Amino acid sequence: MYRADTAPTPCEHHQPAQDVKENREHHENHENVPHPVAPEVRYAKTQCSLLTDEMKKIVRETFKQMEQESTKNGLNIFVRLFVEYPDYKEMWPQFRAIQDSALVSSDQLRQHAKIYMKGLHNVIGSLDDEAQLIKVLRKIADTHARHGVHQFHIHNMLPEVVAVLYLCLHQKSPEVNEAWTQLFNVIGNVIDKLARERKWSE
């Protein structure tokens, strides 16, 4: 009499149990092989390791304060930057034809401030995901290369960013300064590496 629970399946006819076991083990071993990590991602991971968990927490919490009036604070950063470094205005073609007295209220600077703050938001949001951080910083590096922005320009923005942060926090803090300084070191170093690699590939 035919019994469903004893009838051989097609697989049992054609694939011995040992082969099934070996195929399963091969599949599992293949899944466990680590995917290669791109050199730039390894570099970003090394750089991000310089930021302690406490530093990351400080950066995230203080940036939330700055984002409450994101565009206003972004404008303030660039106004302070152009006062300190008037020649920086010439790096961006959209600013060159605007008189200094009209620049603060211009739509061009307002839009640029929005883009800058959005970039910072994306960077800070990617600090625990080095692959995503590379994607974010590569876009920034490509834009910087077109406008002749270098690593020292990035570092020269730090005092203005921290000064605006202090205005938002209503107090100064060595811990905030240390955390943001380390963040800008990471940003500057990774962007510089990506920019040099971009130049070599051209």
Side-chain angles (χ1 to χ4, degrees), residues 112-132:
H112 192 71
K114 287 181 178 180
I115 292 171
Y116 182 80
M117 295 299 286
K118 180 64 175 176
L120 264 183
H121 174 92
N122 291 339
V123 168
I124 292 168
S126 305
L127 290 177
D128 290 325
D129 183 348
E130 290 82 13
Q132 179 61 28

Side-chain angles (χ1 to χ4, degrees), residues 41-155:
V41 176
R42 286 201 301 271
Y43 183 77
K45 189 176 184 68
T46 300
Q47 287 295 309
C48 285
S49 69
L50 301 175
L51 276 163
T52 66
D53 289 341
E54 181 63 22
M55 287 177 179
K56 291 178 184 178
K57 180 181 178 182
I58 289 172
V59 166
R60 289 174 180 135
E61 290 181 351
T62 54
F63 188 63
K64 282 181 182 178
Q65 296 291 318
M66 185 183 277
E67 280 194 304
Q68 290 179 9
E69 294 184 279
S70 182
T71 303
K72 174 187 173 183
N73 289 321
L75 279 168
N76 198 356
I77 289 170
F78 278 96
V79 168
R80 297 175 71 96
L81 182 72
F82 291 150
V83 168
E84 190 68 26
Y85 303 97
D87 56 314
Y88 281 17
K89 174 187 165 186
E90 299 301 314
M91 292 193 299
W92 290 278
Q94 68 267 37
F95 300 149
R96 292 171 189 164
I98 303 175
Q99 295 292 325
D100 291 348
S101 58
L103 185 61
V104 176
S105 58
S106 68
D107 291 338
Q108 292 91 331
L109 186 58
R110 185 178 185 83
Q111 182 61 27
H112 192 71
K114 287 181 178 180
I115 292 171
Y116 182 80
M117 295 299 286
K118 180 64 175 176
L120 264 183
H121 174 92
N122 291 339
V123 168
I124 292 168
S126 305
L127 290 177
D128 290 325
D129 183 348
E130 290 82 13
Q132 179 61 28
L133 181 63
I134 284 294
K135 291 179 182 178
V136 172
L137 292 180
R138 193 183 298 280
K139 288 179 65 175
I140 296 173
D142 289 344
T143 302
H144 283 185
R146 290 198 301 271
H147 296 298
V149 179
H150 300 290
Q151 187 175 15
F152 69 89
H153 294 115
I154 296 171
H155 289 302

